[in-house]
């Protein structure tokens, strides 16, 4: 999923599947007016990327079973990506209107703790440095692009991808989640030393000395 892309032709297939009952290849051929080979190739790519699922339906009698295709939840996120630029700032604005900055920070802190518990349950090592490496492994397994390098005797985690990118506001409030989550997981304060919103290639974090 981390490397998944959708071509213009694939996106056309996606839009035919989203919100509709499962479709056959024949259904999609009629809707797109392209060849069976082209539709099949696009479906195979979409299945490999995790945007489409295929199931088999057995027909009455001796007829051959047919394949049905439907969009996955990942497709909904794909189509919603551009809308987040409008919806997410509205959510931040509503939170501040209701409870001010204190409510925003409380929400972010609670989210951080929930995420920390998710990772802590899977980490068995003791030292902060080892726990940071295990956290990197778990995040990469979930599709993130994270790496750790040694810089001047200090471990630096580079979070090359960001699941919160579309949620950032002018105050960069969302960036609080990663820092607090990492601190809770490794058992020592973690500080952010670079941020993509400030022009860095990616956000990076290191374990604080105190």
């Amino acid at each position: 999923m981390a490397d998944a892309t959708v071509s213009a032709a694939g996106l056309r297939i996606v839009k035919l599947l989203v919100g509709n009952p499962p479709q056959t290849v024949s259904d999609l051929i009629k809707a797109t007016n392209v060849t069976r080979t082209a539709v099949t190739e696009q479906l195979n790519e979409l299945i490999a990327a995790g945007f489409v699922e295929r199931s088999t339906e057995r027909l009455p009698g001796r007829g051959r079973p047919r394949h049905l295709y439907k969009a996955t939840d990942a497709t909904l996120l794909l189509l919603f990506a551009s809308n987040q630029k409008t919806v997410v700032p509205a959510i931040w604005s509503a939170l501040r209107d209701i409870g001010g900055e204190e409510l925003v920070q409380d929400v972010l802190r609670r989210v951080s703790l929930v995420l920390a518990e998710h990772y802590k349950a899977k980490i068995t090592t003791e030292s902060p440095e080892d726990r940071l490496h295990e956290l990197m492994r778990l995040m990469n397994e979930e599709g993130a692009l994270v790496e750790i390098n040694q810089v001047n005797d200090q471990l630096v985690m580079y979070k090359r991808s960001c699941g919160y990118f579309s949620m950032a506001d002018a105050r960069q409030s969302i960036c609080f989640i990663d820092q607090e989550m990492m601190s809770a997981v490794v058992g020592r304060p973690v500080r952010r030393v670079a941020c993509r919103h400030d022009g860095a290639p990616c956000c990076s974090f290191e374990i604080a000395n105190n």
Side-chain angles (χ1 to χ4, degrees), residues 3-200:
D3 300 323
T5 58
V6 178
S7 65
L11 191 58
R12 187 180 180 188
I13 297 289
V14 161
K15 289 181 176 180
L16 289 170
L17 294 176
V18 169
N20 283 318
Q23 306 285 300
T24 65
V25 170
S26 296
D27 293 331
L28 295 170
I29 291 172
K30 292 177 183 177
T32 58
N33 198 31
V34 297
T35 66
R36 176 175 291 272
T37 299
V39 169
T40 301
E41 288 178 352
Q42 291 302 322
L43 286 170
N44 288 337
E45 290 180 6
L46 291 167
I47 290 171
F51 294 123
V52 169
E53 290 179 348
R54 182 175 70 181
S55 61
T56 301
E57 181 183 59
R58 297 194 176 279
L59 300 175
R62 296 186 177 182
R64 294 178 58 187
R66 63 176 184 172
H67 295 307
L68 295 173
Y69 299 85
K70 69 175 183 178
T72 64
D73 289 345
T75 309
L76 299 179
L77 296 176
L78 173 72
L79 295 178
F80 182 67
S82 61
N83 298 52
Q84 292 187 27
K85 295 179 181 179
T86 302
V87 174
V88 174
I91 293 174
W92 287 123
S93 178
L95 284 173
R96 287 193 171 92
D97 289 345
I98 294 169
E101 193 63 28
E102 183 177 351
L103 175 60
V104 171
Q105 292 303 315
D106 188 38
V107 169
L108 294 173
R109 190 173 294 106
R110 290 171 184 266
V111 171
S112 301
L113 291 175
V114 170
L115 291 175
E117 291 303 316
H118 165 72
Y119 291 116
K120 286 167 67 176
K122 302 176 182 180
I123 291 178
T124 58
T125 51
E126 295 295 331
S127 74
E129 293 77 13
D130 288 342
R131 293 178 72 84
L132 189 65
H133 274 101
E134 281 209 59
L135 176 61
M136 176 194 69
R137 176 182 59 79
L138 292 170
M139 293 173 72
N140 283 330
E141 286 177 356
E142 292 176 351
L145 297 175
V146 183
E147 60 188 43
I148 294 176
N149 290 325
Q150 189 90 20
V151 180
N152 298 325
D153 297 324
Q154 179 69 42
L155 286 180
V156 178
M157 174 182 275
Y158 298 92
K159 193 163 182 270
R160 292 166 48 209
S161 60
C162 180
Y164 317 130
F165 186 76
S166 64
M167 301 176 68
D169 61 354
R171 306 186 193 191
Q172 299 180 14
S173 303
I174 196 68
C175 300
F176 177 86
I177 289 179
D178 274 334
Q179 185 171 324
E180 289 298 297
M181 178 273 289
M182 292 177 190
S183 297
V185 170
V186 304
R188 279 231 315 257
V190 169
R191 65 188 186 99
R192 188 180 57 180
V193 294
C195 179
R196 68 177 70 245
H197 299 294
D198 294 330

